[in-house]
Amino acid sequence: LLMFSWCPGAGQDVGRSCILVSIAGKNVMLDCGMHMGYNDDRRFPDFSYITQNGRLTDFLDCVIISHFHLDHCGALPYFSEMVGYDGPIYMTHPTKAICPILLEDYRKITVDKKGETNFFTSQMIKDCMKKVVAVHLHQTVQVDEELEIKAYYAGHVLGAAMFQIKVGCESVVYTGDYNMTPDRHLGAAWLDKCRPDLLITESTYATTIRDSKRCRERDFLKKVHETVERGGKVLIPVFALGRAQELCILLETFWERMNLKAPIYFSTGLTEKANHYYKLFITWTNQKIRKTFVQRNMFEFKHIKAFDRAFADNPGPMVVFATPGMLHAGQSLQIFRKWAGNEKNMVIMPGYCVQGTVGHKILSGQRKLEMEGRQILEVKMQVEYMSFSAHADAKGIMQLIRQAEPRNVLLVHGEAKKMEFLKQKIEQEFHVSCFMPANGETTTILTNPCIPVDISLGLLKRETAIGAAPDAKRPRLMHGTLLMKDNSFRLVSPEQALKELGLAEHQLRFTCRVHIQDPRKEHETVLRVYNHLKGVLKDYSVQHLPDGSITVESILIQATAHSEDQGTKVLLVSWTYQDEELGSYLTSLLKKGLPQSTP
Amino acid sequence: MAAHLKKRVYEEFTKVVQQQHEDLSTKKLRLTKPSKSAALHVDLCKATSPADALQYLLQFARKPVEVESVEGVVRILLEHYYKENDASVRLKIASLLGLLSKTAGFSPDCIMDDAINTLQNEKSHQVLAQLLDTLLVIGTKLPENPSVRMRLVEVACKHLTDSSHGVRNKCLQLIGCLGPVEKGVAKEAESQAAKDVQKIIGDHFNDQDPRVRTAAIKAMLQLHERGLKLQQAIYSQACKLLADDYEQVRSAAVQLIWVLSQLYPESIVPIPSSNEEIRLVDDAFGKICHMVSDGSWVVRVQAAKLLGSMQQVSSHFLEQTLDKKLMSDLRRKRTAHERAKELYSSGEFSSGRKWGDDAPKEEIDTGAVNLIESGACGAFVHGLEDEMYEVRIAAVEALCMLAQSSPSFAEKCLDFLVDMFNDEIEEVRLQSIHTMRKISNNITLREDQLDTVLAVLEDSSRDIREALHELLCCTNVSTKEGIHLALVELLKNLTKYPTDRESIWKCLKFLGSRHPTLVLPLVPELLSTHPFFDTPEPDMDDPAYIAVLVLIFNAAKSCPTMPALFSDHTFRHYAYLRDSLSHLVPPLRLPGRKLVSSAVSPSIPPHEDPSQQFLHQSLERVYNFQHLDPRGIQELLEFTIRDLQRLGELQSELAGMADFTATYLQCQLLLIKALQEKLWNVAAPLYLKQNALASAAAKQILEETYKMEFMYSGVESRQVVIIHHMRLQAKALQLIVTARTTRGVEPLFGMCEKFLQEVDSFQRCFISELPHMQGSFVDKLLDLMPRLVTSKPSEVVKILQTTLRQSTFLHLPLPEQLHRATANIIEPTGESDNPLRFTSGLVVALDVDATLEHVQDPQGTVKVQVLYPDGQAQLIHPKPADFRNPGPGRHRLITQVYLSHTAWTEPCQIEVRLLLAYNSNRSKASTRVPKSTWSESSEALPPLENGIEGTIPFSKPVKVYIMPKPARR
């Protein structure tokens, strides 16, 4: 059987994740992301690839969304409402809760701010969400009779999951984005030894092995602490969800531990709603938060308060988390402009910044910025860079492969050159084949499916009774008839097969003539043969019948004198097909001749 | 058969009834028991359905069966076993058989044959497994019988082919527990099966059922524990099991590999897919390291734990565990640790504020990068970053053990340990601080590391801070900047948490005495002296200033040039501190001054110590008082007690000893005073006042003796005898007093009898000590014992009175070390004027923080008492988890006490104090590793000493101001 994996979106590219898998006749779409870099049609995957001219609902059996980042779910309302898809969409409970908030935010920015038309509406988001079926971790969901999916914990962001898709005995695991090292609010990704036929894994950090998280955390805390002690203000531009919560927890616990008093603010907006969900989905967080939430939910921040525009001018130290994360617009930029002039203050960039943004400029050491209105802003505040990324690094990816023991690996969501390195490593270490398709490319993987066959109990018992004790590690031969009927396979005994098929049994007999030189009379010859056989075949019942023939079990032996030569006797040996083994043995025995007579 | 059995049961019945006549006194309770087996038999016969029978059996199982009737019960059960068709009933019977054969004192060899026979016809797998379990119990009860064990092992081997995993499991377990361990026995074995137990078990490493595989490995480990040397051939098998699908198999396999690596560390194993060979222990180490990144956390914990005990591993492999080659876009990147080190060595400290700071450097050869490493690479890096804190703690522990045995490794793992100081879970942080302390003699902290360590000083958890102080006490710092940094951070800590004062001073004391040369250049700055100008004299009561002085004075002790830098007031302050904080400030040889109190120097052994001599001399004097007149004796005792108490205050090392003896002398003094009263001769009822005095004395002596027995650690049996003797005297005194005050004879009978019993038990308990007690009260009493037993109470009292007067005073031998249990409540401080307000009827939690010293088993003995103004007292038992053990002999109680009361009109003070609970059953006499005689007898003691339980207050009470408000409606 064949399995396809076809990627209209993701492939060797970051952003716009969308993978199509055909497994044993079922078509599943994994993720439905958008590309942040484009503002035209290219931002969404090209769904016309999937069916040239047919309804998507007919073609796709289900859609699975791994987590709520827009590059994994951003195109969903477009796909389901505007292109048209009515089938089930699966995602985890936190993803289902948070996803619409982000989509709505994205819609607002695109439509309200940039003034685009022909974009999905709020109602479409709502309608789309109605099609979503939420799943629990490790819950096996039966999509239809054959297709089943199961979610595993993936770390990365709240509610991120890896999905196992299974049809019959063929299976695919799609990782989405995942993180193998735990952080302050989420645990590490985990798979059992599910041995899928194909593991589709992200490979963002295919060529990176990262340093321990602790050093980075410590540096971060130290820098914040020092600035606050000096009386400076700290600005941390973040995106609303994911890393922001991690940093909040980090600072919150540090404040708690060190008994600090300086205020921490979080710029409001969609974050508050999201934080609410973080409080609810405690089971999806890491060990520490899960264990202590009875005393205090870690997301009930004691030291972190909502930010008000007026606070930025307050004297004294403070820490402010503000959106967006690249300092290109909005509140974070406003605060940055206010604070940039003071060398006591500090800005910490917790992530990567796209070229052209203010964040990128200051990180690359630019000290004089030209703002709109030809103002020149001199940056005196300290600029720090702190990478907190929640993707698995090369080691993490290898570790996950080791855990799952797949037969094939497919790399997506990364850069081609880096993937090449990882591919080579995977093939070398695990001796499994590894693929890295480009956008729109189709990869075919041959699987070796096993076909379950029902065996009738009677037959099984009969067969096991014959041989030695069963040994699960060794294959065994058994006799039976394979019946293929009504799309099912059964192994039954021949009699039953005949009965079921309504066929008559045909007897098949082999007969063979053996010439023996024996001058004696016929009945004497028979007697000699009888004695000889009786001597040799001790375990079988050898009988001399009154009509002058001999039977060994069901094999019949008759002797007649040769018509021409009386000294040659012709022995007629006849046996049925079932006794082939014994029959041929007997003939070969008789062909050797009789022993010298011993009267 | 059945008839015969029934007969047996009834025989038993009658027999025991007869026994009851023989000795009525002790075996009263056995009267009804034997009917049990009979009743069971009747019940089982009555049972109409399996469910009924099961009910009877369940009821039966709840009651204990004594040794004599076990066999009978077993026979009855077996009889029913054969008759029973229902598997669940048979299962219960089988399990009962196992329970019964566990009965202490019962030797199950008589039922073994029957038990084995039952196996033969059993069809149900569950029952079979249960029967094998029973056999296992029987086998373990008969350790001295190799032939029985042999037979059982054979039986087990026969059932190893069973199709049920449960049965195979039990068989393997049985073989593991009973299989022959010595070579000799194996040769004699008649049957093939029992010959090579290891091979039999090894064959089941590949069983299809994971539970059986686990059982096989466990059985192998069991054999190892019992002393069988496992064969090296198992190693390769075990290695394969590491890749098993099931976590329990992997977990057990890790253990097995560890065992083998300890057995054959030096043998050579080949590396697969290459021609090289390495030592087995290295190979095993690599494999276990690999398991640190296993999918199951149970296995990870197991692996991380075991790593710690693999000390024979070569250093090359060991150091790999901390290695993780970083790269970014295929270019080699340095770890933050390496960068920090480099920055440090280049003289620039803690900049690293640039984006490209960690920019990757050289290109990496793609072929050389090994992502999933075969060796030990980065095992600890992974372990310390693990998701589960259990794994992290295990990894920290393992690091600690390995670092203790390898200094170079200790140096390397330092960075990682320092990182752990910022773990999110306090337990992990604490553990890593403790670990660091343990390996601190192997390491010197770099400045940047010290910086990270010191940052933790601001932690709000007191445990963490105190652990860190302890760590700083024994750390080596490399530069004077380091010392300065430490001092600055400690002072910061002091201002933030003033309660840490003592602990910080102590820490600075050690810091100073460890690094005199580093402190020397800092002195002018620290004391803010100026070459030309006089600076203002700092405030002597400022804890921060004291802290600085403690550091400097301790450094000056081994640095004679330092005092030259001191200004005048420093010398004055020294004199003051030397007096007030003598435990923190050492004696210094200062110019122009004579060495203060040079007498106490640690080099003098304790017995030559003058204060110790003084103690002994004053005791000698007391023991010879026999010749003095009563007045003189009393005075001498009073003076000696005063001397001893003062000595205890001055010399903290001798405090325990001095207090102990003083208490003893106090008892004696009270006794003498009570007996000295001239009014004894006058008719009793007239002299109530005198009686009050004597009975109060008796009561106080009793109390003091309990204090002596339970409040001091290091009390030996010699002292216990004396204490008990004193108590006996007090009881005699009590008896006499009561005899004189009460009219009528009836109550006296009971008291006399009780007293005599006590004398008797005293004799039995301390029979070995009696020869040392010539002329004492008890000695004389025992001589008179025959007379006492027969005489009337009034005579007894008379005799007691005379013996009490005539008896000599016993010497109290002093043990080597004696410490008095003390407790000090740190919190609540009792200084607050703000009442703790709460609504009446609800509870308020009061944080209690106390240090306990020299308390044995504080979890069991220390209680918190709350006294309300209305006289109500509340006793609270703290949870065992509330006690921490920061050092030998020291404990820390941090707990919460819940208070509640009905409404008051105005705030009032309650008292909180700590009590030491004691129970004479748990007395030191019986818990101590005993001299054969009285350990046995103390078990057989009649229960008259039971129930003497009490509490001794051993801390100063602290007053807390509270105010329960009436509830608002």
Side-chain angles (χ1 to χ4, degrees), chain A residues 195 211 218 257-258 384 425, chain B residues 336 353 369 419 460 496:
Chain A
R195 298 195 174 91
D211 200 353
R218 201 187 58 212
R257 251 182 76 194
M258 298 303 186
E384 297 287 349
K425 284 289 151 199
Chain B
R353 293 215 172 84
V369 182
D419 277 349
S460 59
K496 204 163 177 181

Side-chain angles (χ1 to χ4, degrees), chain B residues 300-372:
Chain B
R300 295 202 296 267
V301 172
Q302 178 81 268
K305 266 191 194 146
L306 291 177
L307 281 183
S309 45
M310 297 181 79
Q311 266 128 12
Q312 299 110 310
V313 75
S314 13
S315 59
H316 160 65
F317 274 86
L318 196 56
E319 276 153 30
Q320 266 190 9
T321 54
L322 296 173
D323 189 25
K324 187 182 177 185
K325 286 195 178 56
L326 301 192
M327 59 175 192
S328 171
D329 289 356
L330 286 180
R331 282 182 298 171
R332 173 94 173 85
K333 212 169 119 178
R334 289 162 315 142
T335 62
H337 293 150
E338 287 168 332
R339 286 203 304 282
K341 203 168 177 178
E342 208 165 279
L343 274 173
Y344 171 71
S345 52
S346 70
E348 187 188 352
F349 172 53
S350 170
S351 91
R353 293 215 172 84
K354 270 184 298 173
W355 185 17
D357 189 30
D358 58 347
K361 296 279 158 14
E362 68 269 41
E363 292 268 348
I364 288 180
D365 173 20
T366 47
V369 182
N370 201 3
L371 283 180
I372 285 276

Side-chain angles (χ1 to χ4, degrees), chain A residues 65-73 94-95 98-99 102 157-160 241-242 278:
Chain A
I65 304 293
S66 65
H67 63 282
F68 61 66
H69 277 158
L70 286 179
D71 59 339
H72 289 261
C73 72
T95 310
I98 298 173
C99 193
L102 284 177
V157 289
L158 190 80
L241 291 170
Y278 271 79

Side-chain angles (χ1 to χ4, degrees), chain B residues 335-488:
Chain B
T335 62
H337 293 150
E338 287 168 332
R339 286 203 304 282
K341 203 168 177 178
E342 208 165 279
L343 274 173
Y344 171 71
S345 52
S346 70
E348 187 188 352
F349 172 53
S350 170
S351 91
R353 293 215 172 84
K354 270 184 298 173
W355 185 17
D357 189 30
D358 58 347
K361 296 279 158 14
E362 68 269 41
E363 292 268 348
I364 288 180
D365 173 20
T366 47
V369 182
N370 201 3
L371 283 180
I372 285 276
E373 55 298 308
S374 47
C377 242
F380 277 119
V381 180
H382 285 294
L384 292 176
E385 266 187 65
D386 199 275
E387 184 185 0
M388 312 297 285
Y389 83 92
E390 291 90 341
V391 183
R392 298 200 295 268
I393 286 193
V396 168
E397 272 165 11
L399 263 188
C400 172
M401 285 164 84
L402 288 171
Q404 272 174 328
S405 62
S406 156
S408 67
F409 183 72
E411 197 71 43
K412 285 223 165 59
C413 75
L414 210 55
D415 276 323
F416 293 90
L417 269 182
V418 169
D419 277 349
M420 295 307 286
F421 284 19
N422 282 321
D423 195 274
E424 55 188 342
I425 301 229
E426 185 174 323
E427 236 176 305
V428 183
R429 296 201 293 269
L430 206 56
Q431 180 71 40
S432 43
I433 294 173
H434 285 317
T435 299
M436 186 96 135
R437 194 190 71 224
K438 283 180 198 150
I439 62 171
S440 56
N441 44 357
N442 281 339
I443 51 169
T444 306
L445 282 180
R446 277 200 324 265
E447 222 166 285
D448 56 312
Q449 290 164 340
L450 188 68
D451 196 40
T452 325
V453 171
L454 291 172
V456 185
L457 274 176
E458 285 193 51
D459 202 298
S460 59
S461 152
R462 191 172 185 142
D463 287 334
I464 297 269
R465 291 200 307 273
E466 269 170 19
L468 207 63
H469 295 153
E470 298 253 334
L471 164 65
L472 286 176
C473 283
C474 46
T475 339
N476 302 319
V477 181
S478 49
T479 58
K480 78 175 203 305
E481 282 81 14
I483 293 281
H484 193 233
L485 199 69
L487 181 66
V488 168

Side-chain angles (χ1 to χ4, degrees), chain B residues 92-155:
Chain B
K92 186 65 202 168
I93 292 180
S95 92
L96 272 181
L97 289 181
L99 271 178
L100 285 172
S101 28
K102 265 186 204 159
T103 317
F106 172 69
S107 172
D109 43 0
C110 46
I111 60 165
M112 195 186 72
D113 288 325
D114 300 285
I116 293 178
N117 283 339
T118 52
L119 278 173
Q120 241 115 59
N121 297 321
E122 186 54 58
K123 289 284 180 300
S124 157
H125 294 302
Q126 275 174 319
V127 181
L128 260 180
Q130 189 60 54
L131 282 172
L132 282 163
D133 197 46
T134 305
L135 287 182
L136 176 59
V137 173
I138 294 175
T140 39
K141 284 279 283 185
L142 300 167
E144 303 307 323
N145 199 339
S147 64
V148 168
R149 290 178 156 228
M150 222 52 221
R151 246 187 93 193
L152 290 176
V153 169
E154 272 170 49
V155 170

Side-chain angles (χ1 to χ4, degrees), chain A residues 153 181-191 193 195 206-219 221-223 225-226 229-230 249 254 256-260 285-291 298 346 352-353 360 363-364 382-385 393-395 398-399 402-403 405 417-418 421-422 424-425 428-430 470 472-473, chain B residues 206-208 213 242-245 250 290-291 293-296 323-331 333-337 339 349-355 366-373 377-378 381-382 384-390 392 415 418-426 429 451-452 455-461 492 496-497:
Chain A
Y153 192 74
T181 46
D183 63 29
R184 288 284 168 152
H185 72 309
L186 297 172
W190 181 84
L191 271 183
K193 261 191 198 175
R195 298 195 174 91
T207 53
T208 302
I209 300 176
R210 266 175 314 175
D211 200 353
S212 118
K213 207 147 198 149
R214 284 174 202 288
C215 298
R216 277 174 284 154
E217 282 176 3
R218 201 187 58 212
D219 274 7
L221 293 171
K222 204 171 139 194
K223 280 168 189 168
H225 189 188
E226 276 172 3
E229 277 207 329
R230 266 203 312 267
I249 291 264
F254 187 72
E256 186 95 21
R257 251 182 76 194
M258 298 303 186
N259 228 338
L260 299 178
T285 55
N286 72 4
Q287 189 193 22
K288 157 92 176 167
I289 299 177
R290 266 184 287 141
K291 290 224 160 138
M298 292 276 273
M346 176 185 285
Y352 174 75
C353 288
H360 187 262
L363 276 180
S364 45
Q382 296 167 48
V383 179
E384 297 287 349
Y385 172 74
D393 63 0
K395 267 201 174 173
M398 298 299 267
Q399 209 179 325
R402 183 160 81 100
Q403 272 182 21
E405 295 186 5
K417 210 184 90 202
K418 296 181 181 177
F421 162 78
L422 191 64
Q424 182 198 331
K425 284 289 151 199
Q428 180 185 325
E429 305 258 355
F430 298 110
K473 297 272 155 140
Chain B
N206 296 325
D207 196 279
Q208 55 173 335
R213 292 200 290 273
L242 283 180
D244 200 277
D245 281 9
R250 293 200 300 269
H290 202 53
M291 300 310 280
S293 50
D294 190 85
S296 148
D323 189 25
K324 187 182 177 185
K325 286 195 178 56
L326 301 192
M327 59 175 192
S328 171
D329 289 356
L330 286 180
R331 282 182 298 171
K333 212 169 119 178
R334 289 162 315 142
T335 62
H337 293 150
R339 286 203 304 282
F349 172 53
S350 170
S351 91
R353 293 215 172 84
K354 270 184 298 173
W355 185 17
T366 47
V369 182
N370 201 3
L371 283 180
I372 285 276
E373 55 298 308
C377 242
V381 180
H382 285 294
L384 292 176
E385 266 187 65
D386 199 275
E387 184 185 0
M388 312 297 285
Y389 83 92
E390 291 90 341
R392 298 200 295 268
D415 276 323
V418 169
D419 277 349
M420 295 307 286
F421 284 19
N422 282 321
D423 195 274
E424 55 188 342
I425 301 229
E426 185 174 323
R429 296 201 293 269
D451 196 40
T452 325
V456 185
L457 274 176
E458 285 193 51
D459 202 298
S460 59
S461 152
K492 227 196 248 174
K496 204 163 177 181
Y497 306 101

Side-chain angles (χ1 to χ4, degrees), chain A residues 160-213:
Chain A
M162 306 190 266
F163 279 91
Q164 184 190 36
I165 302 129
K166 202 169 169 189
V167 180
C169 60
E170 289 172 67
S171 63
V172 179
V173 170
Y174 172 61
T175 63
D177 289 354
Y178 63 100
N179 190 6
M180 290 301 282
T181 46
D183 63 29
R184 288 284 168 152
H185 72 309
L186 297 172
W190 181 84
L191 271 183
D192 55 11
K193 261 191 198 175
C194 49
R195 298 195 174 91
D197 291 304
L198 176 65
L199 178 79
I200 305 174
T201 169
E202 64 135 334
S203 53
T204 320
Y205 287 102
T207 53
T208 302
I209 300 176
R210 266 175 314 175
D211 200 353
S212 118
K213 207 147 198 149

